[in-house]
Amino acid sequence: NEHIYFAFDKSNIDAAAQEVLMRKAEFLKEYPNIYFTIEGHTDERGTNEYNLGLGERRAESTKSFLVDLGIEAYRISTVSYGEERPLCMEQTEECWAKNRRAAFVIN
């Protein structure tokens, strides 16, 4: 259940995230009956509306990457929680970086 992380105000999949997603794709190919949700999250900076949109872009870019690796789109749902479910509550860059993520939940 490893998360992937994003740069501030970005939704693109960087090299570190690509490595994680390639491992996830291999696992998912071995277990074709697994359906899952990708949750998009942001740090607290920005408006709630903006962060919900950014979280959605993060979840969708993650889904697109997995689909490009051969995972069927119908197995993947997405949701954005924006800033509503932080992993870390401190107001530091280190903490904000932990909150800028895509998380995976098996349905």
Side-chain angles (χ1 to χ4, degrees):
N1 193 19
E2 189 175 5
H3 303 311
I4 62 166
Y5 297 92
F6 296 87
F8 176 72
D9 202 30
K10 301 292 183 193
S11 59
N12 58 305
I13 307 297
D14 67 14
Q18 288 179 21
E19 288 183 32
V20 172
L21 293 174
M22 286 188 274
R23 287 193 305 272
K24 286 186 182 296
E26 290 305 314
F27 172 81
L28 292 165
K29 287 176 184 177
E30 289 181 39
Y31 299 94
N33 294 327
I34 291 178
Y35 290 72
F36 60 100
T37 300
I38 300 170
E39 300 175 342
H41 299 271
T42 68
D43 63 35
E44 65 188 43
R45 297 173 289 178
T47 66
N48 189 46
E49 182 178 332
Y50 182 81
N51 286 338
L52 284 171
L54 180 57
E56 184 64 25
R57 289 190 299 278
R58 288 175 175 170
E60 289 295 329
S61 68
T62 303
K63 177 180 178 176
S64 292
F65 192 86
L66 288 171
V67 168
D68 288 346
L69 292 175
I71 305 305
E72 298 86 351
Y74 67 83
R75 295 173 58 193
I76 309 168
S77 59
T78 61
V79 64
S80 174
Y81 290 112
E83 64 192 72
E84 299 302 317
R85 294 186 177 185
L87 288 178
C88 185
M89 301 296 286
E90 299 170 21
Q91 293 186 335
T92 65
E93 182 52 43
E94 182 180 325
C95 185
W96 289 325
K98 292 176 184 176
N99 293 332
R100 296 188 304 259
R101 69 193 188 283
F104 302 82
V105 178
I106 294 176
N107 300 339

